Amino acid sequence: MVNYSKHNIVERISLAFLVIVLNIQSVFAQQVKLQSPNGKVVVGVYNGQATGNSGWYLTVSYYDQGKITEAVPRIDLGLVRSDQEFSKEMQFVKAGKPVLINEQYNAVHGKRSACNNTANEVILFFANQGKARINLIIRAYNDGFAFRYEFPEKIGTFQIKEELTAYTIPMKTLRWMEKWNPANEGYYAAMSGDKVKKQEWCYPALFMTSDSSCWFLLHEADLDRNYCGTKLSNSIDSSKYKLSFPDAGDGRGQGSRTPSITLPWRSPWRVGIMGSLQDVVASTLVDDVSAPSVIKNTDWIKPGLVSWNYWSDNHGTRDYKTVCAFADLAARMNWPYTLLDWEWDVMRNGGNVEDAAKYILSKGVKPLIWYNSGGDHTWVSSTPKDRMLTHENRVAEFTKLKKLGFAGIKVDFFESEKQDMIKYYLDILEDAAQFNLMVYFHGCIVPRGWARTYPNLMTYEAVRGAEWYNNGPDFTTAAPEHNCILPFTRNVVGAMDYTPVTFTNSQFPHITSCGHELALGVLFESGLQHLADRPEGYYSLPDAARSFLKQLPAAWDDTNLLSGFPGKDVVIARRKADAWFIGGINAESREKKNKISFDFLTPGVQYKLTLIADGSHDKELSTSYQVVDSASSIDLKLLRRGGFAACVYPLK
């Protein structure tokens, strides 16, 4: 076999020539290297004894167009278990035979319907000084890498006191990161060099190497009841992001911050999505590595658009007539759902929740309904509360909901990623599936791949979304840049309930154009897409824009990033069947010109393009029509903080 050093250019190879190097003559030289099927991602495993640190670590390099970039020069490995440590002085036992993971699956909703879980995998076997065993499972994907720990023994219950996984990132690497907060509702900040702050950070985190040749996004996936959620912390060393457990005070101090495990056990996957910026945005890697669906029949799971009364009237669901107006909106706009948000249990002014459900169903629309997650883990007293807390509570409530015709539930205010809360999330999903109820979470965890395992999980909040126009004046000026960061960060890893596409104002105003707002319906992916404006905001739109929103899908067959840079601008095309929808926005306070190429279209087919772009000012939309094909391109002008939306249908 060919032995490539980590500084050599690595040629593209197939699995038959997978690079596995093991020099057992010297402990200092022990190393394993694994390449992705296309040869672009290279994961190296090294023993650090030569550098005075006896721990094992990974490196991740990216090879493209004759150039190799050491994107992540070091990932420290190890766990501290309640009975012993698995980090330093680990003895390498053997490397398993490399295997090709090659799995195709279909997603019910998300950025792509036909997905591939394809990677080269190797398992490395280690033993600590006490002869206890630990395995490291490594995968190299065409669009990234993943690794996890495994305790293979069959007996034993322990606590994990600390995870020692830590990513060393060169200070000159540009990064976009969100300060840790339990609801995952902050802003992303761009930084590098001496501007890098030392603190705790949310997932996911985006990085661009200093030579701009490689982008990567750090996250975790396939989190289950056997662990807690983690976050990134560089509080000790600016250049080293160590995985840390939830804070003791999260969830009002309820639950243990350290997870308990029973052997045999596997950790969640530690995931890095890697490649070009287009590769990152299009990746389904977080779902790919996660467990397959436990729901056999998914025909009842129906993605769709939702009318939502909270943004325009924080007490809208308390008023029966308001609920009816939003049901009428959904029916008129051909949206399948409307949401009854908080205070539905005190509805008045002509009807109660049972009356509302009957009215909504009479319009050919299905109702969704909100719940406070309840319990001592949340300080929020909003009702109805505590109806999700136990299996018995849920069965009783879900039985009532099915009789009334409800299609799904929204559960809010979790405020913790401790192990007990992870169990609570999954218990809700499993019980809801027994009643054919769709679920979405608010005040919650960032996606961890659960939508593959439980496809009735339609979306999560875990984002500073349009609701924040109600919470203070800062979102008005921050939103344009924020909107141009989310497609490269938070929304990459799973559905995002931003509640977009608003043309009127809430408590604090917009400075984004109507073209910008219309584009968000395409740019932001969510299996249940809540369009948040009041009815007159949609009724007053030009015919083309209103028609666009009537046709807009909430689940996609393909996704392509056409252009963009975090915080500056972004253009994404998404396909449903043989039609494409395109959204593009400008974050900056100056006009921009953008050229859109249609080379993603099927060659030899002509399409009708309907383009809805900024007009002469930010409250005006301009619509144009033309025939395009895969050789076509168009020039666009985007207003400051502007945008556009388009749909492209094949000509019959």
Side-chain angles (χ1 to χ4, degrees):
M1 282 190 180
V2 182
N3 182 350
Y4 294 101
S5 76
K6 64 179 180 178
H7 299 294
N8 291 144
I9 294 176
V10 182
E11 297 178 354
R12 296 176 64 167
I13 56 173
S14 68
L15 183 63
F17 296 100
L18 186 64
V19 177
I20 296 289
V21 181
L22 179 61
N23 181 349
I24 60 174
Q25 302 300 316
S26 168
V27 69
F28 300 108
Q30 287 180 5
Q31 59 181 262
V32 174
K33 286 192 177 182
L34 182 70
Q35 288 183 343
S36 60
N38 67 2
K40 288 188 174 184
V41 176
V42 184
V43 182
V45 188
Y46 296 90
N47 189 323
Q49 187 169 337
T51 60
N53 180 349
S54 57
W56 289 81
Y57 66 94
L58 305 180
T59 66
V60 186
S61 299
Y62 182 70
Y63 171 69
D64 191 36
Q65 297 180 347
K67 180 180 181 181
I68 191 164
T69 301
E70 191 175 61
V72 188
R74 186 179 181 107
I75 306 174
D76 290 306
L77 302 170
L79 295 166
V80 179
R81 212 166 69 182
S82 52
D83 62 326
Q84 54 193 307
E85 186 171 329
F86 298 81
S87 60
K88 297 180 180 180
E89 306 299 336
M90 296 293 294
Q91 178 186 358
F92 178 83
V93 177
K94 66 176 180 177
K97 183 179 179 180
V99 296
L100 174 65
I101 305 297
N102 189 14
E103 175 195 17
Q104 285 74 46
Y105 68 96
N106 293 319
V108 179
H109 52 86
K111 68 178 77 170
R112 182 172 298 105
S113 57
C115 300
N116 294 298
N117 178 30
T118 303
N120 289 329
E121 178 186 275
V122 67
I123 302 177
L124 305 182
F125 300 81
F126 295 91
N128 69 2
Q129 288 181 304
K131 305 302 181 183
R133 291 185 292 160
I134 185 172
N135 302 336
L136 181 67
I137 306 170
I138 307 172
R139 289 183 182 176
Y141 285 83
N142 289 344
D143 59 350
F145 64 94
F147 64 95
R148 74 192 320 176
Y149 304 102
E150 177 182 57
F151 289 130
E153 278 94 349
K154 305 298 183 184
I155 299 174
T157 299
F158 307 96
Q159 277 194 323
I160 301 296
K161 294 296 187 180
E162 185 179 9
E163 181 166 342
L164 303 176
T165 306
Y167 301 90
T168 295
I169 309 294
M171 296 296 286
K172 58 187 177 180
T173 299
L174 185 57
R175 64 209 70 194
W176 288 260
M177 305 190 74
E178 176 188 344
K179 183 180 179 180
W180 165 251
N181 63 97
N184 297 281
E185 292 184 38
Y187 295 115
Y188 275 84
M191 61 194 125
S192 63
D194 59 6
K195 302 298 184 183
V196 173
K197 296 180 180 178
K198 297 171 69 173
Q199 59 189 34
E200 292 186 324
W201 304 94
C202 296
Y203 285 120
L206 178 67
F207 301 85
M208 182 186 75
T209 58
S210 59
D211 62 0
S212 305
S213 63
C214 176
W215 296 78
F216 58 97
L217 190 80
L218 298 182
H219 196 43
E220 68 179 3
D222 203 28
L223 171 63
D224 61 20
R225 292 178 175 86
N226 298 310
Y227 215 58
C228 60
T230 67
K231 55 185 182 290
L232 299 167
S233 175
N234 68 337
S235 299
I236 297 174
D237 182 343
S238 297
S239 66
K240 183 173 289 189
Y241 293 92
K242 180 182 177 297
L243 271 58
S244 63
F245 292 154
D247 299 340
D250 291 349
R252 297 184 68 195
Q254 301 297 306
S256 171
R257 66 177 298 272
T258 56
S260 296
I261 67 168
T262 298
L263 305 188
W265 171 85
R266 285 183 171 183
S267 74
W269 287 104
R270 281 60 189 95
V271 174
I273 299 171
M274 180 172 285
S276 67
L277 198 52
Q278 287 81 1
D279 293 330
V280 171
V281 170
S283 176
T284 57
L285 185 54
V286 170
D287 286 344
D288 295 344
V289 300
S290 296
S293 175
V294 297
I295 301 174
K296 292 182 179 180
N297 177 16
T298 60
D299 293 345
W300 55 273
I301 302 172
K302 302 291 185 182
L305 272 58
V306 188
S307 66
W308 186 51
N309 63 44
Y310 177 85
W311 182 85
S312 57
D313 180 353
N314 295 169
H315 301 282
T317 304
R318 191 167 60 189
D319 189 300
Y320 175 74
K321 289 185 170 56
T322 299
V323 169
C324 292
F326 276 82
D328 293 341
L329 168 64
R332 184 168 168 180
M333 294 296 291
N334 199 34
W335 301 340
Y337 304 107
T338 190
L339 171 68
L340 306 187
D341 215 297
W342 76 307
E343 297 183 317
W344 57 263
D345 55 332
V346 292
M347 194 183 301
R348 54 179 185 262
N349 195 22
N352 58 23
V353 67
E354 289 83 3
D355 300 318
K358 290 178 183 177
Y359 183 86
I360 293 165
L361 291 166
S362 76
K363 298 297 179 179
V365 177
K366 294 181 180 179
L368 308 169
I369 193 165
W370 177 96
Y371 288 89
N372 187 334
S373 63
D376 293 334
H377 62 266
T378 176
W379 57 268
V380 180
S381 60
S382 302
T383 60
K385 188 176 180 180
D386 297 344
R387 300 192 191 183
M388 295 290 110
L389 275 179
T390 68
H391 172 72
E392 291 74 22
N393 290 155
R394 292 188 291 272
V395 168
E397 198 67 16
F398 294 164
T399 301
K400 295 176 186 176
L401 293 181
K402 290 306 293 182
K403 288 181 180 179
L404 292 173
F406 282 89
I409 59 169
K410 171 182 176 180
V411 188
D412 211 342
F413 306 124
F414 290 88
E415 302 177 30
S416 166
E417 297 182 10
K418 296 174 183 175
Q419 187 177 23
D420 65 326
M421 199 57 59
I422 303 305
K423 293 177 180 178
Y424 186 28
Y425 279 117
L426 300 182
D427 288 347
I428 292 172
L429 290 172
E430 290 184 354
D431 284 347
Q434 297 303 311
F435 288 83
N436 287 10
L437 286 169
M438 297 181 293
V439 178
Y440 54 112
F441 296 129
H442 264 231
C444 63
I445 195 169
V446 169
R448 299 301 209 278
W450 293 344
R452 182 181 178 193
T453 313
Y454 303 96
N456 61 322
L457 174 54
M458 307 303 291
T459 190
Y460 313 64
E461 187 182 28
V463 65
R464 184 172 287 240
E467 178 183 284
W468 281 82
Y469 282 114
N470 286 321
N471 297 343
D474 65 291
F475 199 67
T476 294
T477 54
E481 179 180 355
H482 183 60
N483 293 347
C484 276
I485 294 175
L486 294 175
F488 304 104
T489 53
R490 163 63 182 85
N491 209 186
V492 170
V493 301
M496 181 180 76
D497 194 29
Y498 177 103
T499 62
V501 190
T502 55
F503 304 100
T504 66
N505 285 325
S506 183
Q507 295 180 31
F508 296 93
H510 292 79
I511 57 172
T512 52
S513 76
C514 286
H516 183 118
E517 287 297 315
L518 189 64
L520 298 183
V522 178
L523 290 175
F524 295 161
E525 181 270 310
S526 182
L528 289 173
Q529 183 78 284
H530 293 73
L531 301 193
D533 209 348
R534 48 182 59 84
E536 54 266 34
Y538 300 113
Y539 296 156
S540 62
L541 288 172
D543 289 346
R546 198 166 56 251
S547 177
F548 179 86
L549 292 177
K550 289 180 179 180
Q551 302 169 50
L552 185 63
W556 305 98
D557 293 322
D558 201 4
T559 292
N560 287 336
L561 172 66
L562 302 186
S563 64
F565 190 89
K568 302 295 184 182
D569 51 58
V570 57
V571 181
I572 290 178
R574 301 190 192 268
R575 180 176 62 84
K576 184 67 174 180
D578 55 2
W580 286 88
F581 292 77
I582 309 170
I585 58 175
N586 173 22
E588 298 186 274
S589 297
R590 61 180 179 89
E591 290 187 357
K592 283 186 178 180
K593 292 182 179 179
N594 206 318
K595 187 180 187 70
I596 307 299
S597 171
F598 292 93
D599 55 3
F600 55 89
L601 297 177
T602 302
V605 178
Q606 289 191 317
Y607 295 79
K608 179 182 179 181
L609 166 68
T610 301
L611 175 65
I612 309 165
D614 291 325
S616 58
H617 57 81
D618 61 1
K619 298 304 178 186
E620 182 181 76
L621 292 170
S622 174
T623 304
S624 61
Y625 307 89
Q626 68 183 86
V627 175
V628 297
D629 59 26
S630 61
S632 302
S633 63
I634 58 172
D635 294 315
L636 283 173
K637 182 184 76 173
L638 278 68
L639 294 179
R640 59 179 185 173
R641 303 180 295 274
F644 74 94
C647 53
V648 186
Y649 285 93
L651 292 172
K652 302 298 183 183

